[in-house]
Amino acid sequence: QVQLVESGGGLVQAGGSLRLSCAASGRTFSNYAMGWFRQAPGKEREFVAAITWSGAYTDYADSVKGRFTISADNAKNTVYLYMNSLKPEDTAVYYCARRSGVVAANPRSYDYWGQGTQVTVSS
């Protein structure tokens, strides 16, 4: 069984920064990819970024390219999402998730999910 626990969310002003963490426990192997998704009230869950555990491959949504950075620390079984130049439209609950194989943007291809952490960006 895999458990994912997100942390690091909070309230920040527009232009500010936050670092989200996703700690993975249980059965974790190097041939998995981790993704960050977000869901705002009344909207569908959307892809933010993904990374292979090796860190060799990453992918980003166009809306966050150049502002967000995803990284993985294998020794700590933790994936991070560094968010800079935050905008009010980044406000959402942020989830991390795991899937087998390569990075992907489709949330349906991920099999384990964390409980989410709230990010609120004020204008």
Side-chain angles (χ1 to χ4, degrees), residues 5-10 18-22 36-39 83 91-96 114-120:
V5 179
E6 303 97 334
S7 61
L18 281 175
R19 185 190 76 169
L20 303 184
S21 301
C22 174
W36 283 99
F37 295 79
R38 65 187 182 186
Q39 188 167 18
M83 306 186 295
T91 295
V93 177
Y94 283 71
Y95 300 89
C96 69
Q115 81 290 348
T117 185
Q118 176 71 46
V119 172
T120 303

Side-chain angles (χ1 to χ4, degrees), residues 30-109:
S30 60
N31 58 336
Y32 287 96
M34 299 295 294
W36 283 99
F37 295 79
R38 65 187 182 186
Q39 188 167 18
K43 295 187 177 180
E44 293 187 353
R45 191 166 298 189
E46 65 173 359
F47 171 72
V48 176
I51 188 170
T52 51
W53 268 115
S54 68
Y57 297 97
T58 59
D59 191 21
Y60 295 90
D62 288 343
S63 59
V64 306
K65 281 182 181 176
R67 299 190 299 123
F68 291 11
T69 302
I70 189 171
S71 67
D73 186 333
N74 291 324
K76 296 182 178 180
N77 278 351
T78 301
V79 175
Y80 301 99
L81 184 68
Y82 297 85
M83 306 186 295
N84 297 314
S85 302
L86 283 162
K87 305 175 181 179
E89 51 264 44
D90 294 319
T91 295
V93 177
Y94 283 71
Y95 300 89
C96 69
R98 192 206 76 169
R99 72 183 304 275
S100 300
V102 300
V103 296
N106 186 347
R108 295 183 179 86
S109 69

